[in-house]
Amino acid sequence: LEAIAAGKSVIASAVGGIPEALGKTSAALVAPDDVEALAAVMIKALSEPGWRDAVMPDPTEFHARFSASAMANQMLDLYRSLLKTHAA
């Protein structure tokens, strides 16, 4: 997450919360244990000058979604909605 927020390129396996961070259809995601796909994406990232801009989330937009304050606000909203549900 820190690398994306800093505007760096990231290539990752599509596991856990990573697809949410990169976008579920990002070309930077590869299937777990698919070494050939990982190698192909790495070669593409190094050989195609516009690759990063085409597949990486915008760092500013990313920061708005995943900053500490944004995530804290999302948790507060969740807690508030749970309290309303259980108070009724």
Side-chain angles (χ1 to χ4, degrees):
L1 294 177
E2 292 85 2
I4 297 169
K8 302 299 181 190
S9 298
V10 173
I11 299 169
S13 293
V15 296
I18 295 172
E20 178 185 358
L22 286 178
K24 291 180 170 68
T25 59
S26 174
L29 291 174
V30 296
D33 299 324
D34 190 343
V35 177
E36 290 81 16
L38 177 61
V41 172
M42 292 172 80
I43 290 168
K44 187 175 273 198
L46 292 170
S47 63
E48 294 183 17
W51 181 87
R52 191 234 171 273
D53 293 333
V55 301
M56 287 290 109
D58 173 34
T60 305
E61 184 179 308
F62 180 85
H63 188 273
R65 288 178 47 213
F66 292 101
S67 69
S69 62
M71 298 199 56
N73 286 329
Q74 290 173 23
M75 289 301 293
L76 284 171
D77 291 343
L78 174 63
Y79 290 149
R80 287 181 184 123
S81 71
L82 290 172
L83 286 171
K84 286 179 186 176
T85 303
H86 291 293

